[in-house]
């Protein structure tokens, strides 16, 4: 029998470990890999990628009807019910978006933001990710208030972009939280932002990096290759690209007509529910293969499928 | 690994006879090293040199062609581990399996549906590639009849699945000359299967439990003169296929291990608990190194995302997909709908189109030909300027589609406003947001107010 010796890659670098949650609550550790995703014959993968599920502080208006069908009841019942159902659906973490702070969605302020976070923290014991409404000025306003109010809870706060990184980083440093550093699908901009953040003396193990999700059919290949390049750079020893990566296949995968529109689309697109779920899971599996450490997802069936895939990818006894 | 032009030159006759159509042997050698021509164009090359060159010309992962005619597909010939290092060349072929144990009606329905399936994305029609026929009964007559039935319905390439050489021969005899893939040779039947492959000019899949066993069967198939091989190392499931296929790709590219330098075939349905899980694993296999994926279920809502993923991953990173310039209606726009101008870089197009679609407001999207460059890059390169925008607006008669005369341009090129208004008398330029994500807010607030103001 011919002897086939598989060459192994021994990398010099290692992805940083980041711990979310803890204190009196559950914690989740991500990162720490010394190899490309799931290649157990090359190196060590101490922690499985984690799944967070999106919840919002007001019932979303333009989510896909497929998501409306599974989350509709708890959306009406309120944030606590929604967060609990997310954990029941398999979420390792909850990702709360403070949507009501958006000037078009109520323009609420710091008090309401703190109240929303308090509700979720009381309802579930998993780590919490908190996103502002995505408008830099409002993000600063509500995230700083949340950061101050929940010092020591090791929340992940975002987005932290080149526009507002000083404010978000300063408040996360002061209160022991984690920043989500977001840059627009570009390896150099991602690295640059990590440098700016660490230059403020933010510890490297309190940064998650979000290189921006291009969904399947909407720039997935760019996200995919930027992620692969970031991860290869990290393993080659570049500490400024070695932050664990967090991606949003849920938000992006469900945003377009492929996951929203039932009628008036080509028959070849098939059934909407299955198509939407596949749009989210396909985006997610690509991101897992490119190095995602946290996936923020939406549909319970998609979460179930991806969790089973992760279990298989983490197993070494096949 | 391919030889350099100089190394090839040393093996040529060096007579500069020009019979190959090139002025010198060196020029011919250079072209050969770029794989732009075949060695057979030189009538004078020695048998010895030919063997040396043939061996070196064989790519690290053999190119394997299945089927004939316009639906034939080729897999293999990949040269990198990561698409950003160069590109992935030959997209994973997707096949759907039918079994002889199914009714003829069920088989006919599946084959016809798969054959007809075609879905368009960015102007490209994406299709599934093959039908696999599985000898579930171990019966030569039943297999032959099934192969005959399938081949009468479709011209797609076929994958014939049986471990019994008698059954395989019965099937092959019904599709002579169609280069069907034989699945599979194993350590027990390799002699007979290789003989069938040689006789029918068919590519041959080699099946084994693990890499060493596969390599052993490959060696025997090679000895029997069969070179177009596909490997099934027995891996199933997410983790096992990822690790095994990565090892095969790495062995072929980095270690130049000839015995595993072939495309791989995978069966994501085997071991999956649902069609959804099978489809998800198939998607992983498209990304991570499968040459052929044989599915046990066909459903449009899974085929569409899978084919879209394949299109994404196999796009050349150096050559972004360009969108056809023109006017794109989004959400059935009317005469009061905004007109947004941007470039034909596919990512720009998808970002803007996606944001407009997501905003729920109908709009006209005017796409200018910027050679596939993004907004800032094309502006810097002089490919996105007042003249280009004016020409696009005029050529595609944007004025005839709307009652207003507002053009919305990306915030990054606000500086073009004056130029455009000069080139397009009667039109006013509105400077939109810099980032796509801010478009919905802009349309809802600024645009609506502007339009109402103009009407008054």
């Amino acid at each position: 029998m011919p002897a086939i010796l598989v060459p192994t890659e021994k990398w010099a670098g290692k992805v940083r470990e980041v711990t979310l949650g803890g204190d009196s609550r559950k914690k989740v550790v991500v990162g720490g890999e010394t190899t490309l995703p799931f290649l157990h014959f090359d190196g060590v993968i101490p922690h499985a990628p984690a799944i967070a599920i999106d919840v919002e502080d007001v019932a979303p208006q333009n989510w896909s009807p497929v998501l409306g069908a599974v989350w509709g009841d708890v959306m009406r019942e309120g944030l606590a019910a929604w967060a609990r159902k997310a954990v029941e659906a398999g979420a390792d973490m909850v990702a709360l978006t403070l949507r009501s702070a958006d000037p078009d969605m109520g323009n609420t302020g710091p008090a309401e933001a703190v109240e929303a976070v308090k509700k979720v923290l009381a309802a579930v014991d998993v780590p919490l990710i908190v996103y502002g409404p995505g408008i830099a000025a409002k993000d600063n306003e509500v995230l700083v208030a949340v950061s101050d109010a929940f010092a020591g809870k090791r929340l992940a706060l975002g987005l932290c972009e080149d526009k507002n990184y000083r404010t978000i980083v300063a408040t996360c440093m002061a209160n022991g939280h984690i920043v989500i550093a977001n840059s627009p699908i570009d390896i150099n901009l991602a690295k640059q932002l990590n440098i700016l953040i660490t230059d403020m003396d933010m510890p490297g193990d309190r940064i998650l990096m979000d290189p921006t999700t291009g969904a399947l059919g909407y720039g997935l290949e760019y996200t995919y290759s930027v992620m692969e390049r970031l991860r290869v750079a990290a393993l080659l020893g570049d500490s400024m690209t070695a932050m664990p990566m967090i991606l949003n296949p849920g938000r992006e995968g469900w945003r377009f007509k492929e996951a929203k529109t039932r009628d008036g689309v080509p028959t070849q697109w098939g059934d909407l529910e299955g198509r939407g779920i596949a749009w989210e899971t396909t985006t997610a599996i690509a991101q897992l293969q490119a190095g995602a450490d946290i996936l923020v997802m939406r549909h319970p069936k998609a979460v179930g499928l991806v969790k089973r895939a992760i279990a298989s990818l983490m197993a070494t006894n096949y | 690994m391919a030889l350099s032009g100089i190394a090839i030159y040393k093996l040529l006759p060096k007579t500069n006879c020009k019979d190959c159509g090139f002025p010198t042997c060196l020029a011919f050698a250079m072209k050969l090293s770029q794989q732009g021509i075949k060695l057979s164009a030189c009538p004078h090359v020695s048998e010895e040199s030919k063997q040396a060159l043939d061996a070196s010309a064989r790519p690290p992962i053999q190119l394997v062609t299945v089927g004939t005619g316009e639906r034939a597909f080729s897999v293999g010939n990949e040269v990198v581990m990561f698409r950003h290092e160069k590109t992935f060349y030959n997209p994973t072929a997707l096949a759907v399996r039918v079994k002889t144990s199914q009714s003829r009606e069920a088989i006919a329905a599946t084959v016809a549906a798969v054959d007809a399936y075609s879905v368009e994305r960015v102007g490209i029609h994406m299709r599934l590639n093959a039908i696999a026929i599985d000898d579930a009964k171990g019966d030569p007559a039943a297999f032959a009849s099934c192969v005959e039935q399938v081949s009468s319905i479709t011209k797609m390439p076929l994958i014939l699945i049986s471990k019994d050489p008698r059954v395989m021969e019965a099937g092959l005899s019904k599709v002579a000359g169609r280069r069907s893939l034989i699945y599979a040779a194993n350590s027990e039947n390799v002699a007979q299967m290789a003989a069938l492959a040689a006789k029918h000019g068919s590519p041959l899949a080699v099946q084994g439990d693990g890499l060493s066993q596969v390599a052993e069967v490959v060696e025997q198939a090679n000895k029997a003169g069969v070179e177009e091989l596909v490997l099934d190392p027995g891996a199933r499931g997410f983790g096992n296929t990822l690790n095994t296929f990565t090892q095969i790709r790495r062995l072929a590219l980095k270690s130049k291990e000839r015995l595993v330098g072939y495309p791989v075939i995978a069966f994501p349905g085997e071991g999956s608990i649902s069609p959804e899980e099978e489809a998800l694993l198939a998607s992983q296999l498209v990304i991570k190194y499968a040459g052929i994926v044989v599915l046990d279920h066909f459903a449009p809502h899974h085929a569409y995302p899978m084919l879209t993923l394949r299109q994404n991953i196999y796009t050349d990173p150096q050559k972004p997909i360009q969108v056809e310039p023109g006017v794109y209606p989004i959400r059935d726009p009317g005469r009061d709908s905004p007109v947004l101008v941007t470039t034909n870089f596919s990512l720009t197009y998808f970002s803007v189109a996606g944001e407009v679609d997501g905003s729920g407001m109908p709009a006209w999207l005017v796409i200018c030909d910027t050679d596939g460059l993004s907004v800032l890059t094309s502006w810097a390169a002089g490919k996105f300027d007042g003249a280009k925008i004016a020409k696009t607006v005029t050529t595609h008669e944007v004025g005839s589609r709307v009652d207003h005369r507002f053009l919305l341009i990306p915030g990054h090129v606000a500086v073009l406003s004056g130029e455009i208004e000069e080139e397009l008398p009667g039109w006013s330029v509105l400077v939109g947001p810099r980032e796509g994500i801010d478009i919905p807010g802009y349309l809802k607030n600024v645009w609506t107010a502007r339009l109402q103001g103009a009407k008054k």
Side-chain angles (χ1 to χ4, degrees), chain A residues 5 7 9 38 40-42 217 220-222 224-225 228-229 255-256 258 268-269 289 308 312 318, chain B residues 83 117-118 121 238-240 243 247 250-251 254-255 277 284 287-288 300 304 309 312 345 354-355:
Chain A
L5 290 178
E9 300 255 22
F38 314 111
H40 302 280
F41 65 98
D42 273 343
L220 175 81
E221 68 272 38
Y222 298 95
Y224 179 84
S225 284
E228 268 197 337
R229 291 172 65 197
R255 204 149 70 91
F256 303 104
E258 285 80 353
Q268 295 95 321
W269 286 21
Q289 296 303 331
R308 273 183 54 88
S312 166
Y318 34 75
Chain B
R83 61 188 291 282
Y117 190 77
S118 171
R121 203 169 175 89
F238 290 85
N240 194 356
N243 280 267
Q247 291 175 347
R250 195 184 286 173
L251 280 161
K254 303 242 163 104
S255 311
E277 183 160 291
Q284 175 187 299
I287 299 169
K288 287 295 178 184
Y304 182 37
L309 177 72
N312 285 175
F345 174 39
E355 292 296 346

Side-chain angles (χ1 to χ4, degrees), chain A residues 139-153:
Chain A
D139 281 3
N140 289 351
E141 191 185 326
V142 293
L143 292 178
V144 168
V146 166
S147 169
D148 287 341
F150 302 99
K153 295 288 182 197

Side-chain angles (χ1 to χ4, degrees), chain A residues 36-52:
Chain A
L36 289 167
F38 314 111
L39 299 184
H40 302 280
F41 65 98
D42 273 343
V44 181
I45 305 156
H47 310 292
I51 306 285

Side-chain angles (χ1 to χ4, degrees), chain B residues 15 50 59 62 73 75 101 114 133 153 169 184 194-195 267 271 304 323 344-345 390 396 410 438:
Chain B
T15 51
K50 209 167 162 182
Q62 177 78 290
F73 67 83
V75 289
S101 51
V114 172
I133 305 167
I153 301 171
E169 178 148 38
F267 298 84
Y304 182 37
V323 178
N344 76 330
F345 174 39
H396 296 282
D438 299 320

Side-chain angles (χ1 to χ4, degrees), chain A residues 163-204:
Chain A
K163 282 177 263 186
N164 67 343
Y165 76 94
R166 282 196 182 83
T167 311
I168 305 290
V169 172
T171 190
C172 283
M173 278 176 68
N175 296 306
H177 299 303
I178 289 143
V179 295
I180 301 173
N182 170 249
S183 50
I185 318 194
D186 183 294
I187 180 171
N188 294 314
L189 295 177
K191 181 174 173 175
Q192 170 72 10
L193 185 56
N194 288 337
I195 293 171
L196 292 171
I197 292 171
T198 39
D199 277 354
M200 287 179 69
D201 285 334
M202 182 75 178

